[in-house]
C-alpha cells in the first residue's frame, strides 16, 4: 500500500519572530536565512533552524549570550544584511541607468545621421562638462559605454524594437499602400527601398520604412517613372505582379513627381540649355575665372554671389540655373567684355535666342512651383492630383493668352517685348505639347479621378457616376445640412472620423482607402539622400544590415520603447574605463 507524499507547501508553515533572536534567522525570499553565515534552510521548521544553529554557531559565543544580548546582536546582523542588499540594488540601478543613457545616445546618433564613432566623442564631451558642473558624478558618467561596437549593437536592438512596433501597427491597418524606388550606393550596389503607408479604423496614418534590399544582380522592373520595365505586360513589375496574382484589386500609380519631371521632355529646350550650361561651365570650371567672377559680382553689389551648376537628375536644377543666369545676364556680359571674351556671351545679345531663353525660364519657374507643391511627406493623393489638374488648366490658359499676345504670366518674356509672331506661335505649340504630355503620363490618375473626387468633395459629386455601393450613402450625406457645414469647417480626416459608422460604412471605408494611398516616391528620394550621407567614399564599409537599421531609425515616426528594451536585457554592463 503506497503512502501519499507529503507536500511541505501545504503545511502552511510561517516564520516566527522569536526565531530571529533565538537562532539568528530572518525570512528572506520565502526561506529562513541565517544572519551569521547567510545560509538558507529549505522550510520554516523550528527543528531544522535550531539544529543549524546548534551544529554551526553555538560554540561561537552565541549560546552564552543573554536574551537581551541576542536581540541586540540579531538586530545588528539584520541591519548589516539590509545594508548589503541596498548596496547591491544601488549598483544594479546605476548600471541600468548607464545602459539606458547609452541607448538614448545611440538612438540620437542614428536619428541625426551622425557617425557611429561619434559616441566616443560625445562621452569625452560629457566627462569634460561633468568635471566642471558636477565633479562628484564623474564615475557615473564614466560607466556609460559609448564605444563604436556598443553603439552599433544598441542601434540593432533599437531597430528591432521599432520594427516590432511597425509589425504590430500593420495588424491594425484597414488599408495600406507601398511605394518603392531603387538607386545605387557608392559601391554601385542597387538598393531597393520599400515604404508602407497604412490607415487604421480611426484614420491614424502610419508611414514607415518596411525594408531595404540590396539587389546584387539584374534589377528588372524596379522603376517608378512609367518606363517599360515598370509597365510591361510580362517582364515589367506590374506584369509580373499581375501574373502572380491575376485577380488582384490593386491600384498601380507612378510617382507624380517623376512624371512631372519627365514631362519636360516634350519641350525642345536643348538649344537654349546647351548655351546656358556652356556659359556656366566657362566661368565655374576655371578656378581663376570663377574667383574673378565672384569678386566682380561683389564689386557690382549684385543680389547673387555665384552661378549654379546644372544637374540633370535634380528635379529643380534646370529652372534654378536658368533663373540665376537670367538674373545675372547683364553682369555676365560685362564680365566677358571686360576680359575680352565677347564670343562666349554673344548669344546673350542675340534677340531671338534671348526670347527663347526668357520663355523657357518663365515656364520652368512655373514647373518648379508645381514640383515644390508636390514634395513633402504625409500628403494626400487627392491634394497632389488637384495640383496636377490645376497646372493642366494653367497650360491651356497660357497657350490661349500667348495666341492673343498676352504675356501676363511670362514676366521675363514680357520684359523683352515685342516678341515676333512666329516665336509666339512656337511657344504656344510648346505649351500645348506639354499639356498633351501631362495628359499622356497621368492616365493612371485620370482612371481613379472619380474616386478621388468622392473623397475630396463628396457634396459636389454626381451620385449617378460613382460606384453603386456609395450612391445611397452619398445621397443621404448630401441631403443632410449638418455634415456639410462640418465639412467646410474641419480638415477632411476629422470630417470622416465624425461620420456614423453605422450610417456611412462604405463611404468611411472609401475614405480610408484613399487616405492610405501614396502619390509619390518622395519619401524614398529623401531616404536616398540619407544613404549618400551614410555610405560615402570615406564610409563605404557599412554593411547592408547596419545601413537598414540606421535608415529605419532616422526615418521612423516611432519612438523606441527603452523600458521594454531594458526589461529584455538580462545583464547591464558598464564601461570599464573612460573612452
Amino acid at each position: 500500500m503506497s503512502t501519499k507524499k507529503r507536500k511541505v507547501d501545504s503545511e502552511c508553515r510561517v516564520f516566527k519572530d522569536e526565531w530571529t533572536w533565538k537562532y539568528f534567522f530572518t525570512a528572506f525570499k520565502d526561506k529562513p536565512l541565517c544572519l551569521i553565515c547567510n545560509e538558507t534552510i529549505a522550510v520554516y521548521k523550528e527543528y531544522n533552524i535550531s539544529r543549524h544553529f546548534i551544529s554551526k554557531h553555538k560554540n561561537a559565543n552565541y549560546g552564552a549570550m543573554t536574551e537581551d544580548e541576542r536581540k541586540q546582536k540579531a538586530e545588528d546582523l539584520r541591519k548589516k544584511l539590509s545594508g548589503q542588499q541596498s548596496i547591491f540594488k544601488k549598483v544594479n540601478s546605476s548600471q541600468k541607468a548607464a545602459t539606458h543613457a547609452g541607448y538614448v545616445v545611440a538612438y540620437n546618433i542614428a536619428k541625426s545621421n551622425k557617425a557611429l564613432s561619434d559616441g566616443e566623442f560625445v562621452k569625452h564631451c560629457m566627462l569634460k562638462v561633468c568635471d566642471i558642473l558636477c565633479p562628484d558624478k564623474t564615475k557615473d558618467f564614466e560607466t556609460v559605454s559609448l564605444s563604436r561596437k556598443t553603439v552599433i549593437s544598441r542601434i540593432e536592438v533599437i531597430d528591432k524594437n521599432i520594427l516590432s512596433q511597425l509589425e504590430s501597427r500593420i495588424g491594425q491597418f484597414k488599408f495600406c499602400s507601398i511605394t518603392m524606388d531603387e538607386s545605387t550606393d557608392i559601391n554601385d550596389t542597387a538598393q531597393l527601398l520599400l515604404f508602407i503607408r497604412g490607415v487604421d479604423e480611426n484614420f491614424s496614418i502610419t508611414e514607415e520604412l518596411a525594408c531595404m534590399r540590396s539587389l546584387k544582380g539584374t534589377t528588372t522592373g524596379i522603376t517608378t517613372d512609367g518606363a517599360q520595365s515598370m509597365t510591361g505586360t510580362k517582364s515589367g513589375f506590374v506584369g509580373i505582379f499581375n501574373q502572380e496574382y491575376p485577380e488582384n484589386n490593386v491600384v498601380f500609380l507612378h510617382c507624380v513627381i517623376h512624371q512631372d519631371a519627365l514631362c519636360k521632355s516634350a519641350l525642345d529646350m536643348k538649344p537654349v540649355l546647351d548655351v546656358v550650361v556652356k556659359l556656366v561651365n566657362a566661368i565655374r570650371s576655371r578656378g581663376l575665372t570663377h574667383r574673378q567672377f565672384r569678386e566682380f559680382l561683389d564689386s557690382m553689389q549684385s543680389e547673387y554671389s555665384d552661378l549654379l551648376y546644372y544637374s540633370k537628375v535634380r528635379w529643380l536644377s534646370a529652372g534654378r540655373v536658368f533663373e540665376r543666369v537670367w538674373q545675372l545676364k547683364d553682369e555676365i556680359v560685362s564680365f566677358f567684355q571686360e576680359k575680352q571674351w565677347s564670343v562666349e556671351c554673344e548669344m546673350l545679345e542675340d534677340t531671338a535666342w534671348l526670347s527663347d531663353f526668357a520663355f523657357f525660364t518663365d515656364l520652368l519657374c512655373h514647373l518648379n512651383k508645381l514640383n515644390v507643391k508636390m514634395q513633402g511627406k504625409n500628403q494626400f493623393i487627392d491634394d497632389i492630383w488637384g495640383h496636377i489638374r490645376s497646372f493642366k488648366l494653367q497650360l491651356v490658359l497660357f497657350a490661349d493668352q500667348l495666341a492673343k499676345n498676352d504675356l501676363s504670366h511670362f514676366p521675363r518674356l514680357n520684359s523683352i517685348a515685342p516678341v515676333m509672331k512666329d516665336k509666339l506661335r512656337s511657344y504656344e505649340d510648346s505649351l500645348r505639347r506639354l499639356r498633351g504630355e501631362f495628359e499622356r503620363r497621368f492616365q493612371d490618375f485620370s482612371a481613379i479621378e472619380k474616386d478621388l473626387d468622392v473623397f475630396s468633395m463628396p457634396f459636389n459629386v454626381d451620385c449617378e457616376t460613382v460606384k453603386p455601393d456609395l450612391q445611397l450613402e452619398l445621397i443621404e450625406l448630401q441631403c443632410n445640412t449638418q455634415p456639410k457645414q462640418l465639412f467646410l469647417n474641419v480638415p477632411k480626416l476629422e470630417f470622416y472620423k465624425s461620420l456614423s459608422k453605422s450610417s456611412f460604412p462604405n463611404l468611411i471605408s472609401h475614405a480610408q482607402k484613399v487616405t492610405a494611398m501614396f502619390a509619390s516616391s518622395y519619401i524614398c528620394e529623401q531616404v536616398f539622400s540619407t544613404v549618400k550621407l551614410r555610405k560615402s567614399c570615406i564610409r563605404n564599409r557599412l554593411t547592408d544590415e547596419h545601413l537598414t537599421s540606421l535608415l529605419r531609425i532616422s526615418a521612423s515616426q516611432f519612438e523606441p520603447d527603452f523600458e521594454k528594451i531594458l526589461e529584455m536585457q538580462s545583464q547591464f554592463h558598464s564601461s570599464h574605463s573612460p573612452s
Side-chain angles (χ1 to χ4, degrees):
M1 182 177 178
S2 60
T3 58
K4 191 175 182 180
K5 189 175 181 180
R6 290 175 56 198
K7 292 184 178 180
V8 176
D9 293 343
S10 66
E11 297 181 4
C12 301
R13 299 179 185 273
V14 295
F15 184 84
K16 297 181 179 179
D17 293 337
E18 62 185 33
W19 294 348
T20 301
W21 63 267
K22 274 186 178 182
Y23 310 115
F24 297 98
F25 268 81
T26 187
F28 179 73
K29 294 185 177 179
D30 297 327
K31 287 186 178 182
L33 172 71
C34 179
L35 294 172
I36 300 172
C37 64
N38 292 335
E39 290 186 13
T40 58
I41 304 300
V43 294
Y44 291 135
K45 190 174 181 180
E46 186 173 9
Y47 173 79
N48 294 357
I49 293 174
S50 63
R51 186 178 64 180
H52 173 87
F53 175 73
I54 292 171
S55 62
K56 293 192 176 183
H57 305 302
K58 190 173 182 180
N59 296 330
N61 297 326
Y62 293 106
M65 290 183 178
T66 64
E67 181 178 334
D68 291 338
E69 289 175 339
R70 285 191 175 196
K71 288 181 178 179
Q72 183 61 45
K73 184 65 176 178
E75 185 64 25
D76 292 341
L77 290 173
R78 189 159 58 180
K79 288 182 179 179
K80 182 179 179 181
L81 176 65
S82 178
Q84 291 173 347
Q85 292 173 347
S86 298
I87 291 173
F88 177 78
K89 290 179 180 178
K90 183 177 180 182
V91 170
N92 189 57
S93 176
S94 176
Q95 291 177 343
K96 182 177 180 180
T99 303
H100 188 178
Y103 273 110
V104 171
V105 173
Y107 169 69
N108 282 279
I109 286 175
K111 192 73 175 178
S112 304
N113 294 316
K114 299 299 182 181
L116 300 176
S117 57
D118 281 0
E120 298 176 355
F121 173 72
V122 171
K123 182 173 181 178
H124 176 75
C125 293
M126 287 195 307
L127 291 174
K128 293 296 182 181
V129 172
C130 182
D131 289 341
I132 299 172
L133 297 181
C134 47
D136 56 317
K137 299 290 184 180
T138 301
K139 289 186 177 180
D140 293 337
F141 281 87
E142 287 179 349
T143 60
V144 180
S145 180
L146 293 175
S147 66
R148 188 178 185 277
K149 288 185 177 180
T150 302
V151 169
I152 291 174
S153 64
R154 287 176 177 168
I155 286 175
E156 291 174 348
V157 174
I158 293 172
D159 173 49
K160 291 178 181 178
N161 180 263
I162 291 177
L163 184 58
S164 68
Q165 293 184 55
L166 174 60
E167 291 172 348
S168 176
R169 185 68 62 86
I170 289 175
Q172 303 172 17
F173 287 167
K174 300 290 289 184
F175 294 93
C176 69
S177 65
I178 61 172
T179 184
M180 65 182 76
D181 203 355
E182 171 262 328
S183 184
T184 55
D185 60 21
I186 191 67
N187 294 329
D188 290 330
T189 300
Q191 304 287 4
L192 173 66
L193 289 179
L194 191 148
F195 273 82
I196 186 169
R197 175 186 173 106
V199 59
D200 61 18
E201 62 179 7
N202 297 317
F203 285 90
S204 176
I205 300 172
T206 302
E207 197 172 283
E208 293 287 326
L209 174 64
C211 66
M212 187 195 79
R213 291 291 182 267
S214 298
L215 307 177
K216 307 297 183 180
T218 305
T219 59
T220 302
I222 309 302
T223 65
T224 54
D225 55 8
Q228 288 299 315
S229 58
M230 182 70 180
T231 60
T233 57
K234 293 184 179 180
S235 60
F237 174 79
V238 176
I240 295 172
F241 186 89
N242 287 331
Q243 287 179 2
E244 293 291 330
Y245 307 96
E247 297 182 0
N248 68 79
N249 190 26
V250 179
V251 177
F252 290 95
L253 300 172
H254 305 301
C255 172
V256 290
I257 303 179
H258 285 178
Q259 297 287 71
D260 166 60
L262 290 170
C263 283
K264 290 198 287 282
S265 62
L267 302 173
D268 185 18
M269 291 193 304
K270 192 174 186 305
V272 179
L273 180 62
D274 289 346
V275 174
V276 171
V277 171
K278 184 178 179 180
L279 281 172
V280 173
N281 291 343
I283 294 174
R284 294 207 53 166
S285 63
R286 304 164 185 165
L288 176 61
T289 305
H290 187 203
R291 291 194 302 272
Q292 290 174 342
F293 181 70
R294 296 186 63 179
E295 292 172 358
F296 179 78
L297 293 179
D298 185 58
S299 65
M300 297 285 289
Q301 297 183 346
S302 174
E303 180 181 356
Y304 302 101
S305 61
D306 205 352
L307 294 172
L308 302 175
Y309 267 129
Y310 170 68
S311 175
K312 187 176 182 179
V313 298
R314 295 187 180 274
W315 296 326
L316 308 178
S317 179
R320 288 178 173 174
V321 171
F322 274 44
E323 186 178 12
R324 181 63 59 86
V325 172
W326 177 269
Q327 295 289 344
L328 295 176
K329 65 181 186 303
D330 295 334
E331 286 86 346
I332 293 173
V333 171
S334 300
F335 177 74
F336 280 143
Q337 289 177 347
E338 186 178 290
K339 295 184 72 67
Q340 297 182 351
W341 291 357
S342 56
V343 178
E344 302 288 344
C345 65
E346 61 183 8
M347 297 301 293
L348 288 175
E349 297 176 326
D350 182 277
T351 306
W353 183 89
L354 202 60
S355 175
D356 293 341
F357 181 39
F359 168 73
F360 285 119
T361 302
D362 286 328
L363 182 56
L364 288 174
C365 285
H366 288 301
L367 283 166
N368 279 4
K369 289 178 183 178
L370 171 64
N371 194 295
V372 170
K373 288 178 183 177
M374 296 189 296
Q375 292 185 30
K377 297 169 63 176
N378 298 317
Q379 292 211 53
F380 293 143
I381 188 172
D382 64 306
D383 292 332
I384 291 184
W385 176 236
H387 296 319
I388 296 293
R389 288 195 297 185
S390 171
F391 189 74
K392 289 195 294 185
L393 292 176
Q394 289 176 25
L395 290 176
V396 174
L397 175 66
F398 295 160
D400 292 342
Q401 288 182 336
L402 286 181
K404 301 173 184 177
N405 198 18
D406 182 356
L407 307 179
S408 303
H409 300 289
F410 291 83
R412 296 167 185 82
L413 185 60
N414 194 31
S415 67
I416 59 172
V419 182
M420 293 182 291
K421 289 184 179 181
D422 59 332
K423 286 288 185 183
L424 289 176
R425 283 195 296 270
S426 173
Y427 302 153
E428 180 188 350
D429 291 340
S430 296
L431 292 172
R432 297 196 188 281
R433 285 200 309 273
L434 182 59
R435 188 185 184 282
E437 189 71 6
F438 267 83
E439 290 287 352
R440 185 180 71 84
R441 286 192 173 273
F442 288 99
Q443 292 177 15
D444 47 1
F445 277 84
S446 298
I448 63 168
E449 184 173 7
K450 183 58 65 176
D451 291 336
L452 300 181
D453 288 343
V454 171
F455 173 71
S456 59
M457 44 186 183
F459 294 94
N460 298 335
V461 71
D462 184 358
C463 297
E464 294 185 3
T465 62
V466 303
K467 297 177 181 178
D469 61 333
L470 298 176
Q471 290 175 344
L472 297 182
E473 293 182 14
L474 274 175
I475 291 174
E476 183 177 351
L477 183 69
Q478 292 175 358
C479 293
N480 195 330
T481 57
Q482 186 177 358
K484 187 173 184 179
Q485 189 65 32
L486 182 64
F487 182 80
L488 297 173
N489 296 324
V490 299
K492 287 194 290 280
L493 285 191
E494 294 301 321
F495 167 74
Y496 284 107
K497 286 180 185 179
S498 68
L499 292 181
S500 170
K501 294 182 180 179
S502 59
S503 301
F504 306 101
N506 294 327
L507 199 57
I508 291 174
S509 179
H510 177 80
Q512 290 169 341
K513 179 179 179 180
V514 175
T515 303
M517 287 184 179
F518 275 109
S520 73
S521 60
Y522 171 82
I523 191 170
C524 293
E525 298 293 342
Q526 193 176 44
V527 173
F528 280 134
S529 298
T530 304
V531 172
K532 291 182 179 179
L533 179 65
R534 278 291 184 189
K535 201 168 184 179
S536 61
C537 58
I538 58 175
R539 298 171 61 195
N540 57 6
R541 296 178 64 186
L542 195 65
T543 65
D544 294 336
E545 292 76 14
H546 290 156
L547 180 60
T548 302
S549 298
L550 292 169
L551 295 179
R552 179 174 285 112
I553 293 173
S554 64
S556 179
Q557 299 172 346
F558 293 123
E559 291 284 338
D561 188 349
F562 290 114
E563 290 299 325
K564 186 175 181 180
I565 291 173
L566 293 173
E567 286 176 5
M568 296 175 64
Q569 187 153 336
S570 58
Q571 293 181 340
F572 302 108
H573 299 286
S574 302
S575 178
H576 300 291
S577 61
S579 300

